[in-house]
Amino acid sequence: MKLILAPMATLSHEAFRRAVARFGGCDEYFTEMINASSLLNMGPWEHFYLMSGPEPDKIVWQLTGNKAEAMAEAAAFLSRREGIGIDLNMGCSAPQIANTGAGISWMTKPIAETEAMVRGVKSAIANAAKDGRQEKRLSVKLRLGAEDFTDEGFFSFCDMLIKEGVELLTLHPRTKKEKYRTKPRYSYVENLALRCKDIPVYLNGAVSDRASYELAVQAAPHASGVMIARAAAQKPWIFSEILGTKTEINREELALQFIDDVEECQPPEFYKTRLQRFFAYYCDNFSFGHWFKTQMLNASSPKESRERIKEYFEKCPQDRMG
């Protein structure tokens, strides 16, 4: 069973991947969403989204966008870089994404429109491989659909994706509006894996430790992999924990190293939001996590973040090793 790091906005960048890799890493690292149109315009920050370390051969580039032509052109561009493949985001239900016609909107548009977009992306990837490069794998990350989805409509949609050349599906088995408090419907992952016998299906949703991993695998034994998102931000060592190889962790050192890596891998304009996003989860590991989280979210700079980390562990040395 493969273990995969999920694409997470403002989190799945190289600095975070380095933190995960220090504990043995995982089988595949999906990047945070890369906006197709922004990539093609190559603005001042795009090259930060294109950093592929620390394990370039395990990278999967995730694309988002609302225009088929831009999606195809961006896929061709990314096909010439390192990594395993290109993933199309059809699962993000955040209003700022879905309301533009991107993300999960591709599941609710007229089927012919989405079909044409996927066909165009697949053709672009194939054409990019004609110069001798290995053709990148095309995958899709999706949800069950809108609240009025039907089994027939969902599985028919997946059949279309496969017909158009999609080689892997990752299913987060919740609807557009279902939040994290709603249990994911793993039975759909299992049924999809049984239906799509010729391609792998990854399970995504509610895996936070070894016990929940085992429950997910028990519910969907024919899945080929398990993708983990927020729990990896709280515990970058979660993959080694699942594999039973976790060793003692210096949590203070990890936090300080993460700040160093953010400064190296992100533009100064992103420092604050990237640090806030990570520490919003990471601080849940500690005895006074709520207080520590408040301190970190209110830090105004990497320098102040470092000071607050050192101050916390001076007061709570028992939390340093884990």
Side-chain angles (χ1 to χ4, degrees):
M1 184 76 70
K2 286 187 175 181
L3 295 173
I4 304 100
L5 181 65
M8 293 177 281
T10 72
L11 254 179
S12 299
H13 45 72
E14 180 166 331
F16 180 58
R17 295 194 297 269
R18 288 182 183 183
V20 173
R22 288 190 178 95
F23 299 99
C26 56
D27 294 298
E28 298 180 12
Y29 301 86
F30 278 54
T31 67
E32 59 183 317
M33 292 183 295
I34 299 173
N35 182 278
S37 296
S38 298
L39 177 64
L40 297 175
N41 291 330
M42 199 51 71
W45 296 320
E46 295 311 307
H47 71 280
F48 293 101
Y49 288 91
L50 296 174
M51 296 179 73
S52 59
E55 299 186 82
D57 58 322
K58 294 182 178 182
I59 286 288
V60 179
W61 305 99
Q62 193 187 67
L63 270 178
T64 186
N66 57 9
K67 297 179 181 178
E69 298 81 4
M71 294 284 277
E73 191 175 345
F77 176 87
L78 293 171
S79 291
R80 298 183 177 92
R81 304 186 73 85
E82 308 100 329
I84 297 168
I86 313 296
D87 186 73
L88 303 180
N89 184 311
M90 295 190 189
C92 183
S93 59
Q96 63 269 31
I97 300 296
N99 290 346
T100 68
I104 198 170
S105 293
W106 286 107
M107 295 190 72
T108 57
K109 294 179 182 183
I111 191 81
E113 184 177 349
T114 303
E115 184 176 35
M117 184 274 286
V118 176
R119 185 181 304 130
V121 169
K122 181 66 176 180
S123 177
I125 292 173
N127 287 334
K130 288 182 178 178
D131 59 4
R133 291 182 175 87
Q134 183 176 355
E135 185 171 333
K136 292 288 192 292
R137 181 188 74 193
L138 176 59
S139 61
V140 169
K141 187 172 186 292
L142 71 165
R143 286 185 175 235
L144 294 173
E147 307 316 294
D148 61 350
F149 89 98
T150 64
D151 287 12
E152 180 181 0
F154 170 73
F155 289 114
S156 176
F157 184 85
C158 294
D159 290 345
M160 177 276 291
L161 295 176
I162 296 168
K163 178 175 72 72
E164 294 302 331
V166 172
E167 301 164 89
L168 180 146
L169 295 172
T170 301
L171 178 59
H172 183 126
R174 293 183 173 107
T175 63
K176 179 179 179 179
K177 293 183 179 180
E178 285 178 334
K179 304 302 181 183
Y180 294 116
R181 291 181 181 178
T182 303
K183 291 184 178 180
R185 306 181 217 184
Y186 292 143
S187 61
Y188 279 94
V189 178
E190 176 66 2
N191 291 336
L192 184 61
L194 291 172
R195 185 184 184 96
C196 307
K197 294 180 180 179
D198 294 331
I199 73 164
V201 172
Y202 291 168
L203 175 152
N204 174 224
V207 174
S208 58
D209 51 25
R210 175 74 193 186
S212 56
Y213 167 82
E214 291 176 346
L215 286 173
V217 171
Q218 182 179 5
H222 289 88
S224 298
V226 172
M227 177 180 280
I228 299 177
R230 295 174 301 154
Q234 180 186 351
K235 302 183 292 185
W237 56 84
I238 190 169
F239 299 107
S240 62
E241 178 182 300
I242 287 172
L243 293 172
T245 59
K246 175 176 171 276
T247 56
E248 192 171 49
I249 300 156
N250 186 319
R251 294 169 174 172
E252 178 182 13
E253 184 179 281
L254 189 160
L256 294 171
Q257 183 63 58
F258 179 77
I259 297 173
D260 291 346
D261 289 336
V262 165
E263 288 185 308
E264 182 180 340
C265 301
Q266 297 283 282
E269 295 86 349
F270 289 6
Y271 289 169
K272 186 174 182 178
T273 56
R274 273 38 177 180
L275 293 177
Q276 287 176 328
R277 177 83 157 136
F278 175 74
F279 286 107
Y281 295 110
Y282 188 66
C283 290
D284 287 339
N285 291 301
F286 304 110
S287 301
F288 301 94
H290 180 74
W291 179 84
F292 190 18
K293 183 184 300 187
T294 300
Q295 292 296 302
M296 296 305 295
L297 295 185
N298 289 330
S300 61
S301 66
K303 179 177 182 293
E304 188 174 349
S305 295
R306 291 187 181 93
E307 291 171 352
R308 293 186 175 190
I309 288 168
K310 292 175 182 177
E311 177 186 0
Y312 179 83
F313 286 103
E314 285 174 1
K315 292 180 177 179
C316 305
Q318 73 277 8
D319 280 354
R320 183 173 287 115
M321 306 303 293

